[in-house]
Structure formats: C-alpha cells, structure tokens
Amino acid sequence: MLLGLIGSGNMAGALARGWGEPVLATDSGSGRAAALVAELGGESLGTDVATLGSRADTVLLAHKPYQLASVAEQLSGFSGLVVSVLGGVTLDALRTAYPQASVAAVMPNTAVEVRRGVSLVAEGSDEPERVNQLFGRVGSVMTLPETALGAGTGISGVGPAYVALFAEAWIDAGVRAGLKPEQASALVLDTVNGAAELIRAHGGDTLAVRRSVTSPGGTTARGLRALTDAGLPAALHAAMDATRRTA
Ligand SMILES: NC(=O)c1ccc[n+]([C@@H]2O[C@H](COP(=O)([O-])OP(=O)(O)OC[C@H]3O[C@@H](n4cnc5c(N)ncnc54)[C@H](OP(=O)(O)O)[C@@H]3O)[C@@H](O)[C@H]2O)c1
C-alpha cells in the first residue's frame, strides 16, 4: 500500500509516526511535508496534490474540513481509497467529492503517534476491513453510526487534550504539596495508566474500583468530595456540550 498524505500537520504527523512507514506527503507550502519525510522516509511532493493522487493508492485527507472541495478538485479522478479524518465531514459529502473512489470517514486521536490511539470509524465506510487494519496498527478502533461520531469525538478525539490539562493541574497540585515536578509527573502519568488498566480489568466497573480505594471517612473520600464539590462531573458534561456546538 502506498499512502499519500494531504496535509502534514498534527493529525497526519501523529498517524504517520504511528504507522512508521515511508509516505508521500504534501502541505500547502509550510515545508511540514519535507520535515515529516525527513523523519520517516518517503517523499515530499510539496503542494503537488495532483501528482500524489496519481502515485498513491490510499490517500489520507488531513487538511482542514472546509478545504474538502478544493482538494478534491486537485485529486479529480482518483479511484483508490480516500480516508478522511476531517472533523464533521460526512460519508455523503466524501462520496460527492470523490465519486470514483472508495471513501472512509475516521476520527482518530493524536495518541495514534504512540500506537495507543482511539480511532472511530463511521459505519458505512467503504473497505472496512482495510480501514480497521490500518488504524488497528496504531491503537483501538470502534465503528459507530455517523450520528454518534460527534459524541465519540467528544471523548476520544478531544481526550488527549483533556487528560493533558487534568495531568498538568494535578502535577501543579503535587508540586504545591512539596513534590519535585518530575516526581509529581511520574506519579500522575503512572497513576492514570494504572487506573485505566485496573478499571478495564474490573470490566469497566468504575464504582467498584472507586469503592476499593475509599475507606469510610478516609483520605480518598475527602479528596473525592472536594473534586465533586469543585464541579468535576459537571465540568465534563459542560465540555461534552461545548464540543457539540459549532462555535
Ligand atoms: N488534531 C487533532 O487532534 C485531530 C483529531 C481528529 C481529526 N483531526 C482533523 O485533522 C485535520 C487536520 O487537523 P490538524 O490538527 O492536523 O491541522 P494542521 O496541523 O493545521 O494541519 C493541516 C495540514 O493541512 C495542510 N494543507 C492545507 N491545505 C492543503 C492543501 N490544499 N494541500 C495539501 N495540504 C494542505 C496544511 O499545510 P501547511 O503545513 O502548509 O499549513 C497542514 O500541513 C482536520 O480536518 C481535523 O478535523 C484533527
């Protein structure tokens, strides 16, 4: 499979690093395509999207969503597999833009870079086995009806940023309590990883895991109460609502 990237920004770069194979890459003139292939191998075609279309058998659309029509015009006649990671762009819109190609709509997150990503595949995408195999190499894959992709994105797509914000605040709190930043950081990251694995090992039973740490009247109970009083559950609901708004 020869993979061509339309766009060499954050998402294309994260995926390409996760796949770890040479790619054909393009950008809109920033030089990020050349930087990416210097790192991974392959070839930068600069802004020459048409040549990329004539050489690649699979094309990853990783430009901005509003550029769908203008990029499709440069790829006109492409008949391979078009995989879009464009937020909010439907399969219908992809089929209109790429009438001769197979099309798939996928919403990965940036943890694909370390092969621990989550990729949401829109039900009804063409060539689902090939798409699942491609994204399965860089993490887990879940197929969802298109109508549920927005809600899924409100968790996994934006999630790395949420966890980064949560970790940063928690590390700051640890430093305020007297830990060195590197100690607080190691504790936070290992705790987040371990807790996720523990919850998974208990079949997703968050309450059981929470209860097993919480002695009546104890330290954890006081911390949990402080988190609830400070609005953590409400903040996560508000964040989900915010991701569903268009502006
Ligand atoms: N970031 C995420 O976590 C995430 C998650 C899921 C989906 N997405 C989706 O991924 C897409 C890209 O997001 P991003 O965060 O990676 O944005 P980004 O860092 O701004 O990257 C966009 C890339 O597209 C290139 N580009 C723009 N027009 C082009 C054209 N006509 N031909 C070739 N390349 C062109 C840009 O070129 P220059 O380098 O020259 O500017 C840049 O390399 C968006 O549609 C977004 O919805 C992002």
Side-chain angles (χ1 to χ4, degrees), residues 13-240:
L15 279 164
R17 288 186 189 96
W19 286 321
E21 281 175 8
V23 286
L24 294 177
T26 57
D27 59 30
S28 66
S30 66
R32 288 163 98 183
L36 194 60
V37 301
E39 185 186 328
L40 294 172
E43 190 181 340
S44 166
L45 299 172
T47 59
D48 191 353
V49 169
T51 298
L52 181 138
S54 68
R55 289 180 50 190
D57 54 37
T58 301
V59 160
L60 181 83
L61 303 184
H63 48 74
K64 293 294 186 189
Y66 73 88
Q67 296 166 315
L68 177 68
S70 60
V71 169
E73 207 170 300
Q74 297 172 71
L75 280 171
S76 90
F78 181 74
S79 59
L81 174 63
V82 172
V83 180
S84 157
V85 298
L86 311 177
V89 172
T90 63
L91 287 171
D92 273 353
L94 291 170
R95 290 196 170 107
T96 302
Y98 292 95
Q100 288 160 280
S102 303
V103 298
V106 184
M107 190 48 54
N109 69 16
T110 49
V112 291
E113 180 171 330
V114 291
R115 303 195 179 111
R116 295 288 302 272
V118 177
S119 298
L120 307 173
V121 177
E123 208 167 80
S125 290
D126 297 326
E127 305 198 38
E129 279 175 25
R130 192 166 151 200
V131 172
N132 287 354
Q133 198 272 340
L134 185 62
F135 285 86
R137 283 168 49 195
V138 289
S140 66
V141 178
M142 181 182 285
T143 300
L144 286 178
E146 273 199 285
T147 49
L149 277 188
T153 302
I155 298 179
S156 57
V158 297
Y162 290 10
V163 174
L165 178 68
F166 174 72
E168 215 176 292
W170 208 2
I171 291 164
D172 280 348
V175 171
R176 188 169 57 81
L179 293 171
K180 293 179 184 164
E182 59 276 19
Q183 291 170 329
S185 176
L187 293 179
V188 166
L189 300 185
D190 286 349
T191 301
V192 168
N193 265 337
E197 285 309 312
L198 184 66
I199 293 167
R200 196 190 298 276
H202 284 266
D205 190 345
T206 51
L207 183 60
V209 168
R210 196 146 62 83
R211 288 257 195 271
S212 72
V213 194
T214 312
S215 323
T219 310
T220 310
R222 288 197 298 281
L224 286 171
R225 175 63 192 264
L227 281 175
T228 306
D229 286 353
L232 181 67
L236 289 167
H237 284 276
M240 175 60 82

